[in-house]
Amino acid sequence: MHSKEKYIFRVNISNVKEIKFSADELVQKLLALSKTETVCFLDSCGVNHLGSHLLIAGIKPTKVLEIANRTVEKTLSIFDKTLSNNPATIFTISYDFGLKLEKVTPRTKEFSTFDEPDIFLAAFDCLIIHDYNNGKTYLKGNEENFDATINLLESQTNPLQSRSDFNSTVTSNFTKAEYISTIKKIQEYIREGETYQTNLTQQFRAELPKDLTPQQVFWNLRKSHPAPFASFIKRKNDFVVSISPERFIGVESDSFNSDSLLIKTSPIKGTRPRGKTVTEDLRLQNELIESKKDHAENTMIVDLLRNDLGRICEFGSVKVEKLCELEKHPSLFHLVSTVSGKLRKDVNFGSIIKATFPCGSITGCPKIRTMQIIDELETVNRGLSMGTIGYSLSNKETNNINSTTFNSQLSTFHTSVAIRTMVIRDRQAIFNVGGGIVIDSDPLDEYKESLIKAKALFNAIGIKNI
């Protein structure tokens, strides 16, 4: 089932140039270029989901920032100014920044992920855009950079091939018994009325062989598990490889009122693997559709997100557009809902993050108490996993913007939930997988579901058994 809504990147003919690259050619060249240059791209992979239809890429950013060890107010101020004063920005936000937003003091962890910035920002004055709807690729932005961008892309050779002959080693911060025991602890918290649903994750660390690069990992995933919110980002010291199927926040002009902006969020709750046969596939699909437990989980998160959007939307405008609709992906079925609202006039970028981050689908509810429980029970920092990846585009023709409110710019702002997301540094990849725990969760089934969600990532790096 696919949504008919469509997010349109508004192109101004005066600063757009068509270039002759297919989507596959463009991705290959961007990956090759990322070995020597800062490259960031978000790729819908041709998957028609919630209006996704673009690949948006930036190379040679005009500014790169990694923000850490600042106050929440200072970090959000830098975030606002960077997005407001640049025509295009691609960014990541760590889940752990959400702890700071909600004033959850993290306990000392037994282990820690390698250093993850609260926010990474890369600003661009020229973008490469591929539209899967018409198969065309464009340059948009600063025309002075067009020729240099084309020359850089055309100079890249040695295309990647899909490979599965790698052999990585992997460890988790939980044993199977520990994960199951932790689920039972969560169920005790539920019985005590402390939480209704808690999203528990386990973190995998994989040691990659020398010939398995982040570029090859992304190419493997894109070919075997295309996702509507995939991304590849080269940061200062590492690479982000994501095949997220879940939109977090999307902001666009209201097609019925050009002076208004709509915000939408589309949580995923409820997962089943795809079947090996048509009969098994249909059985698993119907099992998910008919699951009262999964519908209850999804509905709880929808209520939480309605409350979050209500903080920044006009009174009475927040509504549930879709509830527990089935979505089909190459290896999984999901239940997806959509909540929308009309943004207030005084809202800016930081206001949205402060009101909604982290996404309720990867915390549980009530949000703050549940985040405290997660921090108590998970033995490692989540880092970017369960955070967000996104981009902002200004529709103004000038960068000289004094106001940082959305309605002064009619900006476009889209983010994904950073699930099925790896951070790769020095041949080590880390990623979290998990699921929502409720009172009637079967601990063994929940453990198995976490491995199902990791399957595509395991396959891409050569993990055969776990």
Side-chain angles (χ1 to χ4, degrees):
M1 240 180 245
H2 296 302
S3 169
K4 292 183 179 179
E5 64 182 300
K6 187 177 293 184
Y7 291 116
I8 302 298
F9 179 82
R10 295 169 179 79
V11 286
N12 184 309
I13 301 302
S14 65
N15 62 347
V16 171
K17 180 174 183 176
E18 184 176 350
I19 55 178
K20 300 299 181 180
F21 292 116
S22 68
D24 278 4
E25 289 172 333
L26 179 59
V27 171
Q28 290 269 17
K29 290 181 178 297
L30 289 168
L31 291 174
L33 187 59
S34 71
K35 295 175 182 179
T36 57
E37 301 285 349
T38 298
V39 171
C40 305
F41 66 90
L42 311 179
D43 186 6
S44 64
C45 301
V47 178
N48 181 15
H49 171 69
L50 298 173
S52 58
H53 64 109
L54 298 177
L55 184 158
I56 297 175
I59 60 177
K60 286 186 170 292
T62 57
K63 177 184 293 186
V64 174
L65 297 173
E66 290 193 351
I67 309 170
N69 303 317
R70 301 289 191 108
T71 64
V72 165
E73 292 73 19
K74 183 62 176 177
T75 297
L76 290 179
S77 174
I78 296 170
F79 185 71
D80 269 332
K81 289 178 181 178
T82 303
L83 270 62
S84 300
N85 295 324
N86 291 279
T89 309
I90 293 174
F91 56 87
T92 68
I93 305 178
S94 163
Y95 171 86
D96 300 313
F97 181 63
L99 298 178
K100 297 179 181 180
L101 283 173
E102 299 295 357
K103 298 181 173 60
V104 176
T105 303
R107 69 185 183 90
T108 302
K109 299 294 186 180
E110 181 181 352
F111 305 102
S112 62
T113 60
F114 40 65
D115 291 340
E116 174 68 30
D118 288 335
I119 297 181
F120 164 87
L121 296 158
F124 302 92
D125 63 0
C126 177
L127 290 178
I128 308 153
I129 303 139
H130 179 83
D131 189 335
Y132 285 95
N133 284 347
N134 60 23
K136 294 183 178 181
T137 302
Y138 307 91
L139 294 177
K140 175 175 171 58
N142 183 355
E143 296 176 5
E144 294 179 1
N145 290 338
F146 283 5
D147 288 342
T149 299
I150 293 170
N151 290 337
L152 265 178
L153 291 173
E154 289 181 340
S155 68
Q156 304 307 307
T157 56
N158 301 321
L160 293 162
Q161 302 295 323
S162 295
R163 292 179 57 188
S164 59
D165 56 341
F166 297 104
N167 187 19
S168 301
T169 59
V170 68
T171 58
S172 171
N173 66 313
F174 284 116
T175 65
K176 179 180 177 180
E178 289 169 342
Y179 195 80
I180 289 172
S181 175
T182 303
I183 291 172
K184 293 177 180 178
K185 290 179 183 178
I186 290 170
Q187 290 172 321
E188 283 301 314
Y189 275 120
I190 295 172
R191 291 186 185 95
E192 294 168 2
E194 296 288 323
T195 180
Y196 304 107
Q197 177 184 165
T198 298
N199 192 85
L200 177 69
T201 70
Q202 60 176 316
Q203 185 175 101
F204 290 103
R205 290 173 175 248
E207 292 293 332
L208 307 183
K210 290 182 179 180
D211 56 343
L212 179 54
T213 64
Q215 293 82 2
Q216 182 71 59
V217 174
F218 181 82
W219 186 253
N220 288 348
L221 287 167
R222 185 176 181 273
K223 285 301 177 181
S224 64
H225 196 91
F229 305 107
S231 57
F232 181 91
I233 299 174
K234 182 179 182 181
R235 303 190 299 187
K236 289 184 178 180
N237 299 307
D238 54 37
F239 294 86
V240 174
V241 173
S242 178
I243 52 163
S244 174
E246 184 171 358
R247 179 171 70 190
F248 176 31
I249 292 295
V251 177
E252 283 280 347
S253 298
D254 186 344
S255 57
F256 299 102
N257 181 358
S258 60
D259 292 328
S260 297
L261 289 169
L262 294 179
I263 183 169
K264 294 187 179 185
T265 183
S266 300
I268 290 176
K269 276 296 170 190
T271 301
R272 292 294 186 281
R274 297 298 299 262
K276 295 178 181 178
T277 66
V278 173
T279 301
E280 184 184 27
D281 204 50
L282 184 60
R283 177 182 65 78
L284 290 165
Q285 171 182 309
N286 290 336
E287 180 182 297
L288 180 57
I289 291 172
E290 295 168 6
S291 170
K292 293 181 180 179
K293 171 185 173 294
D294 289 296
H295 279 253
E297 284 188 52
N298 196 301
T299 302
M300 276 192 274
I301 299 305
V302 164
D303 284 343
L304 186 155
L305 291 173
R306 286 174 60 200
N307 181 67
D308 284 353
L309 292 192
R311 301 176 187 177
I312 49 176
C313 289
E314 293 186 5
F315 181 77
S317 69
V318 176
K319 61 182 180 180
V320 179
E321 294 188 0
K322 299 169 188 175
L323 186 64
C324 297
E325 288 200 350
L326 183 77
E327 288 284 352
K328 299 179 181 180
H329 296 270
S331 62
L332 297 170
F333 292 115
H334 287 307
L335 290 181
V336 184
S337 298
T338 296
V339 184
S340 68
K342 183 178 177 181
L343 281 178
R344 295 199 316 262
K345 299 291 185 182
D346 60 338
V347 167
N348 59 22
F349 302 100
S351 303
I352 290 180
I353 296 302
K354 192 170 184 178
T356 63
F357 187 77
C359 181
S361 67
I362 49 76
T363 62
C365 57
K367 183 185 279 190
I368 296 176
R369 179 64 185 123
T370 301
M371 288 173 67
Q372 292 171 341
I373 292 170
I374 289 169
D375 186 67
E376 172 195 331
L377 297 178
E378 293 187 3
T379 64
V380 291
N381 300 327
R382 287 183 169 185
L384 179 58
S385 280
M386 312 297 141
T388 193
I389 300 168
Y391 70 93
S392 170
L393 304 174
S394 171
N395 295 324
K396 291 290 188 180
E397 290 300 310
T398 175
N399 295 342
N400 185 21
I401 302 168
N402 295 318
S403 176
T404 60
T405 62
F406 271 117
N407 292 70
S408 70
Q409 301 176 69
L410 291 180
S411 296
T412 301
F413 181 79
H414 287 284
T415 62
S416 66
V417 182
I419 57 176
R420 325 282 154 80
T421 298
M422 294 181 177
V423 174
I424 302 175
R425 181 187 297 174
D426 298 330
R427 298 201 348 261
Q428 185 178 77
I430 63 170
F431 53 96
N432 290 42
V433 292
I437 309 303
V438 293
I439 191 62
D440 56 349
S441 291
D442 180 275
L444 180 58
D445 286 347
E446 293 292 346
Y447 177 77
K448 290 178 180 177
E449 181 177 313
S450 73
L451 298 185
I452 288 169
K453 291 174 178 176
K455 184 178 179 181
L457 300 177
F458 286 159
N459 290 342
I461 60 176
I463 303 296
K464 309 303 180 186
N465 297 294
I466 183 71

